[in-house]
Amino acid sequence: MPEYVYPPVIKTAQCVFKALNIKVRLEGADRIPRTGGAVLVSNHVSYLDFIFAGVAAHPAKRLVRFMAKKEIFDSRIGGPLMRGMHHIPVDRDAGASSYAASLRALKAGEIVGVFAEATISRSFTVKEFKNGAVRMAVGGKVPLVPVALWGPQRMWTKGRKRRLLQRNVPVTILIGEPLHPKRGDDYDQITRDLHAQMQAMLEKAQREYPVTPKAGEAWWQPAYLGGTAPTPEEAEKLDLAEAEARKAAREDES
């Protein structure tokens, strides 16, 4: 398919990285398939994760088609960009069509990007997720490639002001060993294995990160490392309260 939008977006991002002196550490790039389909599964710590998860595939000269909520495609500005980059809309009320679209992309040899946690993790640990990514890999007969991101949360994450022009922010991107699930496997067990692998990768990225929080900045560090981010239990309660508030707002509108 013609690529009129994606390459210029990548070039723009690279220019921004250079201007802001964003140092990207990319490890495991050789684990991205050079050809054929794959499901790229990333953790989710910021609103910028699709940019950096996409960077994981650049050395292989691949483009990632991310699955993203339909509301972004409905945006007057974001919508044309998302469609131009051939990303895949996810309508929670019509999940089957999103799944079918992802399988078509995989069978056409595309890399499909998935944030399996669905929402940003406030605790900066890997939230529990369902087996959808595994089922996609099996359905498309493609490998499952785990990715861990760390650093973008300092620029823009849930519950914090955007600091998109912040300079000198290191970003770590770790790519793990691919999994090769097949029909007949225990999808839930593979999902648990994937989750454990991604959590171990994230902890590695966090422990090896070259910067520690300054005074008053511990919010971007997970609690287990002494930061003030919510614990997973506290984050779950916050997510539940947010979901209930959204539900109440929709009911009021109707």
Side-chain angles (χ1 to χ4, degrees):
M1 67 182 81
E3 299 290 350
Y4 301 119
V5 178
Y6 219 144
V9 169
I10 291 173
K11 287 292 185 185
T12 300
Q14 290 171 335
C15 289
V16 171
F17 292 171
K18 185 175 181 179
L20 296 178
N21 196 35
I22 294 174
K23 301 294 187 183
V24 176
R25 171 196 169 197
L26 176 58
E27 183 179 299
D30 58 321
R31 292 166 175 163
I32 299 290
R34 266 46 182 177
T35 59
V39 177
L40 186 153
V41 187
S42 173
N43 68 310
H44 205 1
V45 294
S46 84
Y47 293 107
L48 304 175
D49 290 342
F50 71 97
I51 296 174
F52 293 104
V55 168
H58 290 181
K61 295 181 169 44
R62 304 296 305 275
L63 300 175
V64 182
R65 314 300 177 180
F66 286 97
M67 300 187 75
K69 59 184 180 181
K70 177 179 174 291
E71 289 78 4
I72 300 176
F73 290 79
D74 294 336
S75 164
R76 188 164 53 89
I77 297 174
L81 285 173
M82 296 295 282
R83 287 187 288 274
M85 290 185 280
H86 308 294
H87 294 316
I88 301 170
V90 177
D91 185 345
R92 293 176 181 174
D93 295 326
S97 63
S98 304
Y99 180 77
S102 71
L103 284 186
R104 286 195 296 272
L106 292 170
K107 291 176 180 179
E110 299 282 0
I111 297 179
V112 174
V114 177
F115 296 105
E117 299 164 279
T119 59
I120 290 172
S121 171
R122 301 175 193 259
S123 67
F124 304 136
T125 61
V126 182
K127 298 169 59 175
E128 296 300 321
F129 50 79
K130 297 181 180 179
N131 64 17
V134 175
R135 291 191 296 106
M136 282 170 50
V138 172
K141 298 180 180 179
V142 300
L144 196 60
V145 184
V147 173
L149 304 176
W150 188 241
Q153 79 282 2
R154 297 177 59 196
M155 292 179 278
W156 190 14
T157 193
K158 184 176 286 189
R160 291 283 168 178
K161 288 181 63 176
R162 284 175 288 185
R163 301 196 295 183
L164 298 177
L165 298 182
Q166 186 177 188
R167 294 178 55 79
N168 306 315
V169 175
V171 172
T172 300
I173 307 169
L174 303 182
I175 305 168
E177 289 286 352
L179 285 72
H180 299 273
K182 59 184 182 300
R183 198 170 303 279
D185 287 345
D186 184 337
Y187 298 169
D188 290 336
Q189 181 58 55
I190 294 173
T191 299
R192 288 190 289 271
D193 293 343
L194 174 65
H195 182 278
Q197 183 179 1
M198 290 175 63
Q199 181 59 41
M201 291 164 56
L202 178 58
E203 290 182 12
K204 179 178 187 291
Q206 291 168 337
R207 293 186 186 279
E208 296 177 355
Y209 194 64
V211 176
T212 55
K214 298 177 181 178
E217 291 284 308
W219 61 264
W220 61 260
Q221 190 82 309
Y224 88 95
L225 285 178
T228 58
T231 65
E233 294 76 19
E234 291 167 343
E236 186 176 4
K237 291 178 181 178
L238 290 169
D239 288 343
L240 180 59
E242 182 182 65
E244 290 175 344
R246 284 201 304 266
K247 180 180 178 182
R250 289 195 298 269
E251 290 174 349
D252 288 343
E253 290 175 359
S254 61

